[in-house]
Amino acid sequence: MQIALLKATALFYLVGAVLYLYFIFTLTERGARVGRMFLLIGVVLHGAGFVARYFAAGYTPITSLFESLSFSAFAIVCVFLGFELRYNLRVLGAFVAPLAFFFSLVAAFLPGEVRTLAPALNSYWLPVHVILLFFGNAVFAVAFGAAIMYLMMEKQLKRKKLGAIFKRLPSLDVLDEINYRCLTIGFPLLTLGIITGSIWAEYAWGSYWSWDPKEVWSLITWFLYAALLHGRLTVGWRGRKAAILAIAGFCAVLFTFLGVNLLLPGLHTYTNLAG
């Protein structure tokens, strides 16, 4: 049932993403409103599937590639809807919803059978550590979308050739504010995720830090966002520089999440596509 729910969820995310793209190309408000409705239905279905899998598995289902991609898509949509409610920034859906659709689509076609949990993963730290990191990643995904929009807007303004998309995008100040707000939310979540992971590692493997590839890349990602936050607070990094670093940071997030697990051998490696 969980896989069927996930496939239905992916369909709702797809329609939602298409409607947000329709909105950005036509400025038809109805497209954004209906797109939001599809994302809301999708995230409710997604949550129901997550709960169903939790009771079927007997543990928080965020341990395999299938479960991780699925939960990432869920977190991205939840965070986006929160930001849309706060900033009324419908256009952001055209940049974020496709990512949630892609993650849920890939997850829907991976082996999704419930497996016996490895002893090291059987810990109360599992949901705390992973949920903190995944919601932090979702906030950085929203910052990524805002940064892309910032660079598009700035390019049009510099060329003094305001294309049709100019009318769809918010002001540079609003985009920069969203970028900063995401940083102030995502960075503490990332920090707490790393700290809780270290505590869990000490319980599971007897060491707070073992320089596993996942730990190393998490630290690299943390330094990138720490540098961005430090630059904003002390030397006034704003605008274009902040947008570029937000994009670079999210690339590091994606590699830490997927690249490390799939390509680099270590304690967090997905040994096959089933996780």
Side-chain angles (χ1 to χ4, degrees):
M1 184 180 73
Q2 306 96 22
I3 296 176
L5 278 174
L6 181 58
K7 289 181 178 178
T9 297
L11 182 60
F12 276 97
Y13 289 167
L14 170 62
V15 177
V18 169
L19 286 169
Y20 274 109
L21 288 168
Y22 175 73
F23 163 70
I24 202 173
F25 283 110
T26 66
L27 269 185
T28 305
E29 290 287 338
R30 187 179 179 187
R33 288 199 301 271
V34 179
R36 184 195 307 126
M37 183 183 70
F38 271 85
L39 287 190
L40 278 170
I41 296 172
V43 85
V44 169
L45 286 175
H46 211 157
F50 184 77
V51 171
R53 191 171 179 88
Y54 173 84
F55 285 107
Y59 57 81
T60 308
I62 41 181
T63 62
S64 66
L65 183 57
F66 164 82
E67 295 167 346
S68 297
L69 283 171
S70 173
F71 191 78
S72 287
F74 175 76
I76 288 170
V77 175
C78 286
V79 169
F80 161 68
L81 290 173
F83 269 84
E84 192 191 15
L85 183 66
R86 171 66 178 82
Y87 290 96
N88 193 29
L89 201 58
R90 298 177 298 281
V91 67
L92 193 57
F95 295 84
V96 177
L99 183 62
F101 162 67
F102 177 73
F103 279 2
S104 57
L105 178 70
V106 174
F109 288 94
L110 288 173
E113 67 275 8
V114 174
R115 300 175 307 148
T116 303
L117 198 63
L121 298 178
N122 189 16
S123 167
Y124 290 114
W125 288 107
L126 169 65
V128 178
H129 166 63
V130 179
I131 289 173
L132 281 170
L133 287 176
F134 279 17
F135 270 93
N137 290 352
V139 175
F140 290 139
V142 171
F144 171 76
I148 294 289
M149 284 194 290
Y150 185 97
L151 295 180
M152 292 173 61
M153 184 77 160
E154 187 195 49
K155 184 178 179 181
Q156 291 203 0
L157 287 171
K158 282 185 175 178
R159 290 183 174 181
K160 298 181 180 179
K161 292 181 179 179
L162 306 181
I165 201 170
F166 179 82
K167 298 178 181 177
R168 281 72 168 170
L169 299 181
S171 69
L172 292 179
D173 287 342
V174 169
L175 292 171
D176 193 55
E177 165 66 18
I178 292 172
N179 200 334
Y180 177 63
R181 189 59 55 201
C182 288
L183 183 61
T184 60
I185 298 171
F187 185 71
L189 291 174
L190 173 62
T191 304
L192 289 172
I194 292 173
I195 292 171
T196 54
S198 295
I199 297 171
W200 181 18
E202 202 283 329
Y203 279 106
W205 298 302
S207 172
Y208 287 103
W209 195 267
S210 56
W211 297 105
D212 176 74
K214 190 77 161 186
E215 296 172 345
V216 172
W217 273 94
S218 294
L219 194 59
I220 291 171
T221 304
W222 187 88
F223 274 120
L224 277 172
Y225 283 111
L228 177 54
L229 183 60
H230 178 75
R232 272 188 173 273
L233 295 177
T234 60
V235 293
W237 284 359
R238 297 286 188 277
R240 180 181 179 80
K241 182 178 288 185
I244 291 173
L245 283 173
I247 293 170
F250 189 63
C251 290
V253 165
L254 286 179
F255 186 77
T256 303
F257 172 37
L258 294 174
V260 170
N261 290 49
L262 292 171
L263 302 176
L264 303 179
L267 297 171
H268 295 79
T269 302
Y270 294 127
T271 53
N272 52 59
L273 289 181

